[in-house]
Coordinates of all heavy atoms in Angstrom, one line a residue:
K1 N 78.2 -26.0 -106.2 CA 79.3 -26.8 -106.5 C 79.6 -27.9 -105.5 O 80.1 -29.0 -105.8 CB 80.6 -25.9 -106.6 CG 80.7 -25.2 -107.9 CD 81.0 -26.2 -109.0 CE 80.3 -25.9 -110.3 NZ 80.3 -27.0 -111.2
V2 N 79.1 -27.7 -104.2 CA 79.1 -28.8 -103.3 C 78.3 -29.9 -103.8 O 78.7 -31.1 -103.8 CB 78.6 -28.3 -101.9 CG1 78.5 -29.5 -100.9 CG2 79.6 -27.3 -101.3
A3 N 77.1 -29.6 -104.3 CA 76.2 -30.6 -104.8 C 76.8 -31.3 -106.1 O 76.7 -32.5 -106.2 CB 74.9 -29.9 -105.2
D4 N 77.4 -30.5 -107.0 CA 78.0 -31.1 -108.1 C 79.1 -32.1 -107.7 O 79.3 -33.2 -108.3 CB 78.7 -30.0 -109.0 CG 77.7 -29.3 -109.9 OD1 76.5 -29.8 -110.0 OD2 78.0 -28.2 -110.4
Q5 N 79.9 -31.7 -106.7 CA 81.0 -32.6 -106.3 C 80.5 -33.9 -105.7 O 81.1 -35.0 -105.8 CB 81.9 -31.8 -105.3 CG 82.8 -30.8 -106.0 CD 83.4 -29.8 -105.0 OE1 84.5 -30.0 -104.5 NE2 82.7 -28.8 -104.6
I6 N 79.4 -33.8 -104.9 CA 78.8 -35.0 -104.3 C 78.3 -35.9 -105.4 O 78.6 -37.1 -105.4 CB 77.7 -34.6 -103.4 CG1 78.2 -34.0 -102.1 CG2 76.8 -35.8 -103.1 CD1 77.1 -33.4 -101.2
S7 N 77.7 -35.4 -106.4 CA 77.1 -36.2 -107.5 C 78.3 -36.9 -108.3 O 78.2 -38.1 -108.6 CB 76.4 -35.3 -108.5 OG 75.2 -34.8 -107.9
D8 N 79.4 -36.2 -108.6 CA 80.5 -36.8 -109.3 C 81.3 -37.7 -108.4 O 81.9 -38.7 -108.9 CB 81.4 -35.7 -109.9 CG 80.9 -35.2 -111.2 OD1 80.2 -35.9 -111.9 OD2 81.1 -34.0 -111.6
A9 N 81.3 -37.5 -107.1 CA 82.0 -38.4 -106.2 C 81.3 -39.8 -106.2 O 81.9 -40.9 -106.2 CB 82.1 -37.9 -104.8
V10 N 79.9 -39.7 -106.2 CA 79.2 -41.0 -106.3 C 79.4 -41.7 -107.6 O 79.7 -42.9 -107.6 CB 77.7 -40.7 -106.1 CG1 76.8 -42.0 -106.4 CG2 77.4 -40.2 -104.7
L11 N 79.4 -40.9 -108.7 CA 79.7 -41.5 -110.0 C 81.1 -42.2 -110.0 O 81.2 -43.3 -110.5 CB 79.6 -40.4 -111.0 CG 80.0 -40.8 -112.5 CD1 79.1 -41.9 -113.0 CD2 80.0 -39.5 -113.4
D12 N 82.1 -41.5 -109.6 CA 83.5 -42.0 -109.6 C 83.6 -43.3 -108.7 O 84.3 -44.3 -109.1 CB 84.5 -41.0 -109.1 CG 84.8 -40.0 -110.2 OD1 84.4 -40.2 -111.4 OD2 85.6 -39.0 -109.9
T13 N 82.9 -43.3 -107.6 CA 83.0 -44.5 -106.7 C 82.5 -45.7 -107.4 O 83.0 -46.8 -107.3 CB 82.2 -44.2 -105.4 OG1 82.7 -43.1 -104.7 CG2 82.2 -45.4 -104.5
L14 N 81.4 -45.5 -108.2 CA 80.8 -46.7 -108.9 C 81.6 -47.0 -110.1 O 81.8 -48.2 -110.4 CB 79.3 -46.3 -109.2 CG 78.5 -46.2 -108.0 CD1 77.1 -45.7 -108.3 CD2 78.4 -47.5 -107.2
L15 N 82.0 -46.0 -110.9 CA 82.8 -46.4 -112.1 C 84.1 -47.1 -111.8 O 84.6 -47.9 -112.6 CB 83.1 -45.1 -112.9 CG 82.0 -44.4 -113.7 CD1 82.4 -43.1 -114.3 CD2 81.4 -45.4 -114.7
E16 N 84.7 -46.8 -110.6 CA 85.9 -47.4 -110.2 C 85.7 -49.0 -110.1 O 86.6 -49.7 -110.4 CB 86.4 -46.9 -108.9 CG 87.8 -47.2 -108.5 CD 88.3 -46.3 -107.4 OE1 87.5 -45.7 -106.6 OE2 89.5 -46.3 -107.2
Q17 N 84.5 -49.4 -109.7 CA 84.2 -50.8 -109.5 C 83.5 -51.4 -110.8 O 83.7 -52.5 -111.1 CB 83.2 -51.0 -108.4 CG 83.7 -50.4 -107.1 CD 82.6 -50.3 -106.0 OE1 82.0 -51.3 -105.6 NE2 82.3 -49.1 -105.6
D18 N 82.8 -50.5 -111.5 CA 81.9 -51.0 -112.6 C 81.9 -50.0 -113.7 O 81.1 -49.0 -113.7 CB 80.5 -51.3 -112.1 CG 79.6 -51.7 -113.2 OD1 80.1 -52.0 -114.3 OD2 78.3 -51.8 -113.0
P19 N 82.8 -50.1 -114.7 CA 82.9 -49.1 -115.8 C 81.6 -49.0 -116.6 O 81.4 -47.9 -117.2 CB 84.1 -49.6 -116.6 CG 84.9 -50.5 -115.7 CD 83.9 -51.1 -114.8
D20 N 80.8 -50.0 -116.5 CA 79.5 -49.9 -117.3 C 78.3 -49.4 -116.4 O 77.2 -49.6 -116.8 CB 79.2 -51.3 -117.8 CG 80.2 -51.7 -118.9 OD1 80.6 -50.9 -119.7 OD2 80.7 -52.9 -118.8
A21 N 78.6 -48.9 -115.2 CA 77.6 -48.4 -114.4 C 76.8 -47.3 -115.1 O 77.3 -46.5 -115.8 CB 78.1 -47.8 -113.1
H22 N 75.5 -47.4 -114.9 CA 74.6 -46.3 -115.4 C 74.1 -45.5 -114.2 O 73.4 -46.0 -113.3 CB 73.4 -46.9 -116.1 CG 73.7 -47.4 -117.5 ND1 72.8 -47.8 -118.4 CD2 74.9 -47.6 -118.1 CE1 73.4 -48.2 -119.5 NE2 74.7 -48.1 -119.3
V23 N 74.6 -44.2 -114.2 CA 74.4 -43.4 -113.0 C 73.8 -42.0 -113.4 O 74.2 -41.4 -114.4 CB 75.8 -43.1 -112.4 CG1 75.6 -42.2 -111.1 CG2 76.4 -44.4 -112.0
A24 N 72.8 -41.7 -112.7 CA 72.2 -40.3 -112.8 C 71.9 -39.9 -111.4 O 70.9 -40.2 -110.8 CB 70.9 -40.3 -113.6
C25 N 72.9 -39.2 -110.8 CA 72.9 -38.9 -109.3 C 72.8 -37.4 -109.1 O 73.6 -36.6 -109.6 CB 74.1 -39.4 -108.6 SG 74.1 -39.1 -106.9
E26 N 71.7 -36.9 -108.5 CA 71.5 -35.5 -108.2 C 71.7 -35.3 -106.7 O 71.5 -36.2 -105.9 CB 70.1 -35.1 -108.6 CG 69.6 -35.5 -109.9 CD 70.4 -34.9 -111.1 OE1 71.0 -33.8 -110.8 OE2 70.3 -35.4 -112.2
A27 N 72.1 -34.1 -106.3 CA 72.3 -33.8 -104.9 C 71.7 -32.4 -104.6 O 71.6 -31.5 -105.4 CB 73.8 -33.8 -104.5
M28 N 71.2 -32.3 -103.3 CA 70.8 -31.0 -102.8 C 71.4 -30.8 -101.4 O 71.5 -31.8 -100.6 CB 69.3 -31.0 -102.7 CG 68.8 -29.6 -102.1 SD 67.0 -29.6 -101.7 CE 67.1 -30.5 -100.1
V29 N 72.0 -29.7 -101.2 CA 72.5 -29.4 -99.8 C 71.9 -28.1 -99.3 O 71.7 -27.1 -100.0 CB 74.1 -29.3 -99.9 CG1 74.7 -30.6 -100.2 CG2 74.5 -28.2 -101.0
T30 N 71.7 -28.2 -98.0 CA 71.1 -27.0 -97.3 C 71.6 -27.1 -95.8 O 72.4 -27.9 -95.5 CB 69.6 -27.0 -97.4 OG1 69.1 -25.7 -96.8 CG2 68.9 -28.1 -96.7
T31 N 71.2 -26.2 -95.0 CA 71.7 -26.1 -93.6 C 71.6 -27.5 -92.9 O 70.5 -28.1 -92.8 CB 70.9 -25.1 -92.8 OG1 70.9 -23.8 -93.5 CG2 71.5 -25.0 -91.4
G32 N 72.7 -28.1 -92.6 CA 72.8 -29.3 -91.8 C 72.3 -30.5 -92.6 O 72.1 -31.6 -91.9
M33 N 72.2 -30.5 -93.9 CA 71.6 -31.6 -94.6 C 72.1 -31.8 -96.0 O 72.3 -30.8 -96.7 CB 70.1 -31.5 -94.6 CG 69.3 -32.6 -95.3 SD 67.5 -32.2 -95.5 CE 67.1 -32.2 -93.8
A34 N 72.3 -33.0 -96.4 CA 72.6 -33.3 -97.8 C 71.6 -34.4 -98.3 O 71.4 -35.4 -97.6 CB 74.0 -33.8 -98.0
V35 N 71.0 -34.2 -99.4 CA 70.1 -35.2 -100.0 C 70.6 -35.6 -101.3 O 71.0 -34.8 -102.2 CB 68.7 -34.5 -100.2 CG1 67.7 -35.6 -100.8 CG2 68.1 -34.0 -98.8

């Protein structure tokens, strides 16, 4: 769910500026790192 929230936060940040943004953002989180 941390990963899901990161992906949707990126999406929201872009939609706020550009409603027509095309976004497919994946995330991975592990010890000390987010990708």
Side-chain angles (χ1 to χ4, degrees):
K1 279 291 141 197
V2 174
D4 282 344
Q5 288 166 92
I6 289 171
S7 293
D8 276 332
V10 172
L11 173 62
D12 279 353
T13 300
L14 295 171
L15 286 178
E16 195 167 17
Q17 305 165 62
D18 178 11
D20 294 315
H22 285 191
V23 180
C25 180
E26 314 293 342
M28 182 190 79
V29 291
T30 187
T31 305
M33 180 186 296
V35 179

